Amino acid sequence: MERLAAAVKQVLKAFADYLDPKEAGVRQELIFDDVNGHYLLKRVGWIGKEFVYHSVFYLDIIDDKIWIQYNGTDLLIAEELNHLGIPNSEIVLGL
């Protein structure tokens, strides 16, 4: 699980940097729960009087596989995991 968790964290951190919002008051948040295998990248903050909350990616590690539970982008996170040595046999598209 540690190998998978390390790959997930690396990919989510890279996407957080890439997707860094330009709106003042909105930030990216990474939430890593290594004990339960939950990993989330979200946007949260305020634009004027409007509250912004949007999940960008949500991944779980279940039974030694990375489950891509939610992808709120057109970016191919599974391919990025492949580049880090995670084979398709260890990735589940739970979209």
Side-chain angles (χ1 to χ4, degrees):
M1 181 166 152
E2 289 179 21
R3 176 180 64 87
L4 298 177
V8 167
K9 289 179 194 179
Q10 184 175 341
V11 167
L12 289 181
K13 285 177 185 175
F15 277 121
D17 292 340
Y18 174 76
L19 297 171
D20 189 31
K22 304 302 180 213
E23 297 95 356
V26 178
R27 66 189 181 280
Q28 307 282 41
E29 290 187 356
L30 290 165
I31 300 176
F32 299 151
D33 177 359
D34 290 322
V35 172
N36 298 299
H38 306 299
Y39 304 89
L40 174 69
L41 170 59
K42 66 179 182 169
R43 295 181 61 204
V44 65
W46 292 89
I47 299 176
K49 294 183 178 184
E50 182 180 344
F51 181 68
V52 175
Y53 179 91
H54 172 71
S55 292
V56 180
F57 293 110
Y58 175 57
L59 291 82
D60 284 324
I61 298 177
I62 303 170
D63 297 327
D64 296 320
K65 294 186 182 208
I66 297 171
W67 284 68
I68 301 172
Q69 302 286 23
Y70 179 77
N71 180 349
T73 74
D74 58 353
L75 302 172
L76 303 175
I77 193 168
E79 286 185 8
E80 296 303 318
L81 291 165
N82 292 151
H83 291 307
L84 293 177
I86 307 299
N88 285 336
S89 62
E90 294 181 0
I91 299 172
V92 176
L93 301 178
L95 306 171

